[in-house]
Amino acid sequence: MIRDEKMMDQLLATIRDFVDNELKPFEHEVDETDAIPDHIVQKMRDMGLFGLTIPEQYGGLGITMEEEVLVAFELGQTSAAFRSLIGTNNGIGSSGILIDGTEEQKQKYLPRYANGEIIGSFCLTEPDSGSDAASLKTSAVKEGDYYILNGTKRFITNAPRAQTFTVMARTNPDIKGSGGISAFLVEAGTSGLSLGKIDKKMGQKGSYTCDVIFEDCRIHQDQLIGGVEGVGFKTAMKVLDKGRLHIAAYSAGMAERMLNDALNYAIERKQFGQPIANFQLIQGMLADSKAEIYAAKCMVIDAARRRDLGENISTEASCAKMFATEMCGRVADRCLQIHGGAGYISEYAIERFYRDVRLFRLYEGTTQIQQIIIARDMIRTATDGVLK
Ligand code: COS
């Protein structure tokens, strides 16, 4: 749903201008130094980019899902680290509170996510629990008005910068699966909370992940999201439904950028006495990529509109995430191929993007997890829930 076409056009134009003039010139530097310059972080705060999805009543712009995917198409035109910086506040780092938090929790944290004063993160994955998220081991044991957390969370995006951690932990050890899990909001600086060293990643330089470690970390019961035990896994799944759609949109934007770069290269690069864009084998790669990006964008917009209408879009979010991220990988490969040997050299952005986009098929649920979700939803619907 687009609330106001004119205002939306203005927002998209502002972001496009920012991306073109202030982010793209720093892409190479961010990759080389593994850091986003402070003035860019501040500009993002000033522009309200940390609070795009936070409702207006809590100080954000309150954009709808359809508006969010249009913004993600624009942010996809530049390096993934920039999106990642604002990504958790607009998504998995704030959504737990936004979707299932109490009014007090919303008032306490959402305005500070919105203005970029604090960064949120989302702690689901553990060393022994990735795709099988319901098997997580981090424990939260009630002692009076407090919970004592123990366990390790892994690959946590933005953890090194975060002031809050949405943590899924097991409050009922007798329930081994999802029903024993609760979600908490833990603040940085809490005694017993520490961070591992920053992970050395294949790509997405300038975006940080690390372990988050809880050792007898004592948090007040007020930090239990929604004040209800045992529903933390469902909170996490709802957060991921939205996050997956966002990643799908961003992947479509990123694929578009790579294709534009490859198209320009094909027009400029001459071999056999003419631009390589004239060769039909190059044209085949350009055309396949164009059509697949178009298909991904259509899927993403349709799923976003349905979510705005209040529909359950678990299946559609997984379809979009699976298709768009796999498509993005294929486009990255073709675009590097169009660049030839030059594509393997870091002077060209495609070398970076090729590494950056590999993550899309892994995080917020691998392609194989999306396949499982889609097929299980189909079987459940076809059998009225008799088969799960
Ligand atoms: N929204 C709301 N509730 C949901 C839901 C959703 N999207 N998906 C599942 N649930 C509910 C189910 O309805 C079920 O509730 P009941 O127990 O009341 O019936 C409960 O959650 C458990 O669901 P399910 O039985 O499907 O859980 P499974 O353990 O079989 O696992 C998958 C489900 C595999 C889909 C889940 O573990 C998953 O998404 N794994 C990937 C994790 C991931 O994306 N990690 C990336 C890191 S986070 S950036």
Side-chain angles (χ1 to χ4, degrees), residues 22 314 333:
E22 300 186 54
S314 266
D333 196 63

Side-chain angles (χ1 to χ4, degrees), residues 85-339:
L85 177 66
I86 56 169
T88 48
N89 275 29
N90 284 300
I92 57 175
S94 67
S95 294
I97 294 266
L98 189 53
I99 294 171
D100 281 338
T102 63
E103 190 50 42
E104 289 74 29
Q105 290 169 339
K106 291 180 188 179
Q107 283 179 12
K108 185 171 175 191
Y109 294 105
L110 294 181
R112 297 164 70 206
Y113 293 134
N115 64 22
E117 177 196 331
I118 59 171
I119 302 267
S121 66
F122 179 77
C123 306
L124 179 64
T125 301
E126 298 181 356
D128 295 325
S129 153
S131 290
D132 184 8
S135 70
L136 65 82
K137 292 199 188 87
T138 296
S139 61
V141 177
K142 190 93 191 277
E143 268 188 27
D145 290 345
Y146 290 82
Y147 287 92
I148 314 296
L149 267 60
N150 278 290
T152 297
K153 296 293 181 177
R154 181 139 293 173
F155 308 142
I156 305 305
T157 301
N158 275 340
R161 312 179 200 261
Q163 282 77 38
T164 68
F165 304 82
T166 296
V167 182
M168 270 50 70
R170 193 168 299 283
T171 40
N172 187 340
D174 297 332
I175 305 178
K176 299 284 174 230
S178 60
I181 296 170
S182 305
F184 298 90
L185 209 281
V186 184
E187 293 190 2
T190 306
S191 164
L193 187 162
S194 61
L195 301 179
K197 64 178 182 2
I198 293 178
D199 299 318
K200 273 186 92 174
K201 303 190 298 330
M202 170 193 274
Q204 301 216 4
K205 303 286 180 190
S207 158
Y208 305 138
T209 64
C210 72
D211 279 4
V212 179
I213 303 147
F214 302 94
E215 290 165 306
D216 291 331
C217 178
R218 195 164 171 267
I219 55 166
H220 195 267
Q221 62 185 7
D222 288 351
Q223 301 304 103
L224 175 65
I225 292 181
V228 187
E229 281 191 13
V231 293
F233 185 80
K234 290 183 184 173
T235 298
M237 291 299 115
K238 286 184 265 183
V239 167
L240 287 174
D241 278 347
K242 179 174 180 292
R244 286 165 181 161
L245 195 45
H246 176 94
I247 296 297
Y250 184 73
S251 300
M254 189 84 255
E256 203 163 46
R257 162 70 191 274
M258 292 188 289
L259 183 59
N260 281 337
D261 283 7
L263 174 64
N264 290 334
Y265 185 84
I267 290 168
E268 279 164 21
R269 172 75 175 163
K270 289 200 176 71
Q271 285 297 279
F272 304 101
Q274 54 184 312
I276 61 169
N278 284 348
F279 297 120
Q280 290 182 341
L281 292 177
I282 298 287
Q283 290 174 359
M285 289 193 274
L286 293 173
D288 284 353
S289 301
K290 179 81 179 173
E292 289 190 51
I293 292 168
Y294 179 53
K297 282 183 144 187
C298 289
M299 286 173 84
V300 161
I301 290 173
D302 176 67
R305 285 183 180 154
R306 286 165 183 252
R307 188 176 189 278
D308 285 337
L309 290 172
E311 289 182 32
N312 177 344
I313 51 108
S314 266
T315 302
E316 288 74 15
S318 287
C319 287
K321 206 256 176 191
M322 174 176 79
F323 182 80
T325 59
E326 290 287 332
M327 173 280 290
C328 191
R330 289 192 293 275
V331 169
D333 196 63
R334 288 185 201 122
C335 291
L336 198 148
Q337 195 69 16
I338 290 170
H339 280 76

Side-chain angles (χ1 to χ4, degrees), residues 20-41:
D20 285 343
N21 297 313
E22 300 186 54
L23 298 185
K24 284 185 182 173
F26 283 92
E27 287 176 355
H28 189 67
E29 180 183 317
V30 167
D31 190 61
E32 289 284 303
T33 60
D34 198 11
I36 298 175
D38 288 344
H39 77 269
I40 291 182
V41 181

Side-chain angles (χ1 to χ4, degrees), residues 33-55:
T33 60
D34 198 11
I36 298 175
D38 288 344
H39 77 269
I40 291 182
V41 181
Q42 189 53 46
K43 183 75 193 280
M44 287 173 149
R45 278 196 199 101
D46 296 342
M47 288 173 72
L49 294 183
F50 283 91
L52 290 165
T53 62
I54 308 283

